[in-house]
Every structure is written in C-alpha cells, then in structure tokens.
Amino acid sequence: MAMYPIEELPLSNAPPDREPTPGSPPTDFYQLFLAVYHRGELSLGDYRKRLGFSAYHWAILVYDVKYDRYYAYDVTDGASPDPVMRRDLNPDFQWTYRVKTNVHPESCDSLLIRMAIGEVNDGIGPETIKILLQSVQLPIKGAYPPQNCVNWIRSVLHKLRFHGYARNLHNIEMTIDRALAYADLRMSDPDNSVTVLDHLGNELFFRPFPA
C-alpha cells in the first residue's frame, strides 16, 4: 500500500507530555489499542484479496482503567443519519473524524482484535488523544492511489509514537501487518485465535494494569 506524507504537529502545538509528580504514584492509567473490525462480506474471499488492508475497518481505542470504560476514535465516509431531522448529515460521503465515548468492545460483534500499542497516565487522557488525533489529516476523496481509514491509522500511529504515547512501536508497518494477520486469523478460526494482544503478538489477559 502506498505511503503518504505524515504531517506532524509543531512542537509548540503538541499536547504536553506530563509525567506524574515524583514520589506520588499515578492515579489514572489509559491503555491505547489499535482495533480492527470486519466489514461483513468485504472482509471475505475475493473482496479481502482485492481490498487488502481496507477490507477491514481500523480505529484507536483508549481504555480508562480506573473507570473500566473505552473511548473510540476513527474516521468514516459512511452515512451519518440524524434521527431527529431524519436526514443524512453526510450525503456526499466525505471523510469525517468520529469519537465515541463509553463503548463496549466485548459486545461488538464486528471487533476482531485489540492490539495494545501504548499507555498514558496522569495529565494525558481521552481528551488529549481526541485533540491529537483530530489534527491528523483525513483521507482525501478521489486521491490516487485511493486513500481510506488505513492511511489515517498509519498517520495516527506515527503521531502517537512521535509524542511518546506509543514509544515501543519501532516498526509501524510491521505492527499494521501483524494486526492484519491476526484479524485474518480471527476471521478464519474465531474460536481458536487471539482477540487481545500486544504489538508483538503476545496474548494479553486483563487487567492490563494493576488496580
């Protein structure tokens, strides 16, 4: 898949990389995950071969350990129905940035894997991640080669690593390839494949942090 330039925030605009006060243990932990979802028949057979990475939907999850809840961040060019006005808020299918709060991965049938990619604590949380990811350029409609949520997620991983929130992702392309391979395994053998893993492919068992 083609690579695209990654625009980084100027250092003056970067969210502060705060550390806990020396001598006091951090009170808030957040685990960052790369999440891969299936897209129905588009993730199967010839569609999977033809679409490659974009046969799946990709997102970032932030797990709030203290309150045991997740936040989700992704981009979509799908319909955006307004239940009140009963109209589509995205009739031209433009790419938009989307944030969801209090999501429940365990009850999401389309979620294939969660890959732990980093962690943050006191001073850095869901709102910081929201602002940071909002600065990542959206995929461009009509671009050639085509751009999609995979281009966005690649830029997101670079930005998270740049700011020290995913510092162990030494090879982002390998991380994405590994996530794709595990998503394929989940599609082919859902009962005997890993659902939560680290960026090296090791299975994780919750809780990810001590209470």
Side-chain angles (χ1 to χ4, degrees):
M1 180 168 288
M3 294 288 291
Y4 296 91
I6 296 165
E7 299 294 333
E8 297 292 357
L9 279 176
L11 290 180
S12 60
N13 294 334
D17 191 3
R18 300 190 184 97
E19 296 292 339
T21 303
S24 62
T27 57
D28 296 318
F29 283 106
Y30 302 93
Q31 180 94 50
L32 308 183
F33 290 92
L34 173 62
V36 185
Y37 302 78
H38 75 72
R39 299 176 60 199
E41 66 177 10
L42 296 179
S43 303
L44 298 169
D46 291 338
Y47 284 113
R48 165 65 185 87
K49 295 176 183 177
R50 180 165 59 86
L51 294 174
F53 292 93
S54 62
Y56 297 110
H57 182 68
W58 302 68
I60 296 295
L61 297 179
V62 173
Y63 176 53
D64 182 339
V65 175
K66 183 176 181 180
Y67 295 104
D68 191 25
R69 62 188 176 194
Y70 284 85
Y71 300 79
Y73 309 82
D74 67 353
V75 293
T76 178
D77 63 346
S80 179
D82 183 333
V84 177
M85 301 299 294
R86 296 188 177 183
R87 62 188 179 92
D88 186 0
L89 299 178
N90 189 25
D92 298 325
F93 300 104
Q94 296 298 314
W95 285 100
T96 58
Y97 175 55
R98 184 169 60 176
V99 178
K100 296 180 180 179
T101 60
N102 202 26
V103 299
H104 303 281
E106 291 80 6
S107 60
C108 179
D109 293 337
S110 62
L111 178 60
L112 296 173
I113 67 162
R114 282 171 281 165
M115 175 180 281
I117 57 171
E119 60 190 57
V120 294
N121 51 37
D122 285 343
I124 304 296
E127 188 63 25
T128 302
I129 300 300
K130 172 186 173 181
I131 294 170
L132 183 65
L133 301 195
Q134 192 172 20
S135 71
V136 176
Q137 181 177 339
L138 295 172
I140 299 172
K141 277 285 183 180
Y144 185 82
Q147 297 186 20
N148 49 55
C149 68
V150 187
N151 300 92
W152 184 81
I153 210 75
R154 179 181 284 110
S155 297
V156 162
L157 294 179
H158 278 278
K159 183 149 289 193
L160 290 172
R161 184 178 67 180
F162 177 80
H163 288 287
Y165 306 152
R167 63 188 73 222
N168 291 326
L169 295 188
H170 303 299
N171 189 322
I172 286 175
E173 290 306 311
M174 186 176 293
T175 299
I176 294 174
D177 287 344
R178 184 173 289 121
L180 179 70
Y182 276 94
D184 284 340
L185 282 175
R186 283 278 292 146
M187 290 295 289
S188 62
D189 190 7
D191 294 328
N192 297 294
S193 51
V194 175
T195 59
V196 185
L197 59 152
D198 66 15
H199 70 285
L200 297 176
N202 302 306
E203 185 171 10
L204 291 181
F205 301 92
F206 272 24
R207 296 176 61 97
F209 292 109

